[in-house]
Amino acid sequence: MASNQEVNNARFNQEAARWDSDRKHAEGVNKAFDAIKRYVPAFSDGTSKNLDALEIGCGTGLLSFQLSPHLRSIVGVDTSDGMIDAFNAKTASLPDPAKANLAAVNVLVQSADDVHLQAAAAALALRRGDSGKDVPYRFDLVVSHLTLHHIPELGELLATLKDCLRPGGMLALTDYEDFGPEAIEFHAETKRPGVERHGIKKSEIEDIIDGVGFNEVVVERAFELRKEVEAKDDGSKREMDFPFLICLGKK
Ligand SMILES: C[S@@+](CC[C@H](N)C(=O)[O-])C[C@H]1O[C@@H](n2cnc3c(N)ncnc32)[C@H](O)[C@@H]1O
């Protein structure tokens, strides 16, 4: 039987080419971007251009491309070839791709010293003339949107992300909340295979982030996304509001 990871990769490879044309994908990312700017102090105190960021589950780069003008650099990682190809095509179409401060790599990050992750960070450091100054490469900010619900072992991921951060670095992860049985409606039935959990439980993720040793842990509702869900038995269309959590912690 295919693993959830394999099911997800197949689904996201197939969806990648049309991902950015779904206005709900763009709307969710815009709201995540606004939340990150509200909650991460560097975006209001004028220091965000000093930050090197990592995005887990970057997909086609909707969030990385919004964040990159405000950061020193951002590396996106994803486990779907199709998503990474779409990200890379967007980077290649920038006016000066060789100077871009963002890069994407297909890797399941299980170690902060992962060679693919290190190579991507090193390539960006080389572009800005900082090569080899700060090895192994670590990050000041880790972001992620709509990816936590695909991760089998959140504790393992959070521990790895802590290793990926520099001292004082921050986590700012957004995903929809498991607010009860209705949260399952976020995905149409055809998209449910491969989904590890139908949203993130606030107290569970708080305990996990706290348990791996982050400081200043805050998990709260940051925004809502209204989207169409599967029709009822009578075929009538309906929409639901899904609350999104932002999960914050400091190393
Ligand atoms: C719902 S999509 C969100 C993509 C993007 N963040 C966005 O909002 O447009 C989830 C993404 O997470 C990726 N993914 C799933 N499990 C992953 C893992 N363990 N590590 C990295 N990426 C993963 C998928 O390939 C997919 O691109």
Side-chain angles (χ1 to χ4, degrees):
M1 206 175 86
S3 68
N4 276 353
Q5 186 72 63
E6 288 163 338
V7 172
N8 282 332
N9 286 351
R11 174 187 152 203
F12 290 116
N13 285 341
Q14 206 213 348
E15 288 189 33
R18 288 187 311 277
W19 189 263
D20 290 6
S21 55
D22 183 323
R23 65 185 176 84
K24 282 293 154 187
H25 293 160
E27 187 184 334
V29 168
N30 290 344
K31 289 183 171 188
F33 174 56
D34 285 345
I36 291 166
K37 286 191 295 182
R38 278 199 317 277
Y39 282 91
V40 177
F43 290 92
S44 41
D45 70 16
T47 59
S48 69
K49 276 297 246 177
N50 301 331
L51 303 184
D52 296 314
L54 169 65
E55 182 181 2
I56 302 293
C58 60
T60 62
L62 286 176
L63 183 58
S64 286
F65 276 81
Q66 290 222 40
L67 284 167
S68 64
H70 305 272
L71 299 169
R72 186 164 78 152
S73 73
I74 182 161
V75 173
V77 299
D78 202 283
T79 44
S80 152
D81 278 333
M83 289 296 208
I84 295 293
D85 289 349
F87 190 124
N88 288 338
K90 281 157 56 174
T91 311
S93 68
L94 290 172
D96 194 351
K99 288 200 178 135
N101 70 339
L102 80 179
V105 60
N106 182 347
V107 63
L108 176 67
V109 177
Q110 292 175 308
S111 158
D113 295 334
D114 177 279
V115 288
H116 305 288
L117 178 62
Q118 289 297 313
L124 293 180
L126 186 63
R127 278 180 201 170
R128 59 172 189 267
D130 277 345
S131 177
K133 277 190 195 159
D134 204 13
V135 286
Y137 293 98
R138 296 293 185 252
F139 301 89
D140 307 292
L141 175 67
V142 176
V143 297
S144 163
H145 177 63
L146 272 180
T147 300
L148 292 183
H149 68 270
H150 288 296
I151 306 291
E153 294 295 339
L154 286 171
E156 283 175 18
L157 177 73
L158 268 297
T160 303
L161 298 185
K162 186 165 167 258
D163 292 342
C164 289
L165 283 166
R166 298 187 173 116
M170 267 193 83
L171 273 185
L173 316 175
T174 51
D175 206 342
Y176 71 104
E177 182 178 4
D178 177 354
F179 59 96
E182 277 209 291
I184 196 171
E185 301 285 348
F186 189 86
H187 290 98
E189 234 175 296
T190 52
K191 295 191 178 176
R192 289 180 199 161
V195 172
E196 285 287 340
R197 58 185 69 72
H198 296 290
I200 302 301
K201 287 199 168 94
K202 181 178 180 297
S203 59
E204 232 172 67
I205 195 79
E206 262 166 7
D207 288 348
I208 293 172
I209 299 174
D210 197 52
V212 302
F214 279 96
N215 301 308
E216 301 177 32
V217 177
V218 174
V219 177
E220 58 186 41
R221 284 190 182 180
F223 59 90
E224 282 193 342
L225 186 68
R226 188 173 186 78
K227 69 174 212 147
E228 198 172 278
V229 296
E230 251 162 13
K232 291 199 161 168
D233 292 343
D234 62 6
S236 59
K237 286 197 170 173
R238 62 195 181 109
E239 292 193 324
M240 268 179 66
D241 289 317
F242 291 91
F244 273 67
L245 298 174
I246 189 157
C247 309
L248 303 157
K250 196 169 184 177
K251 177 163 169 176

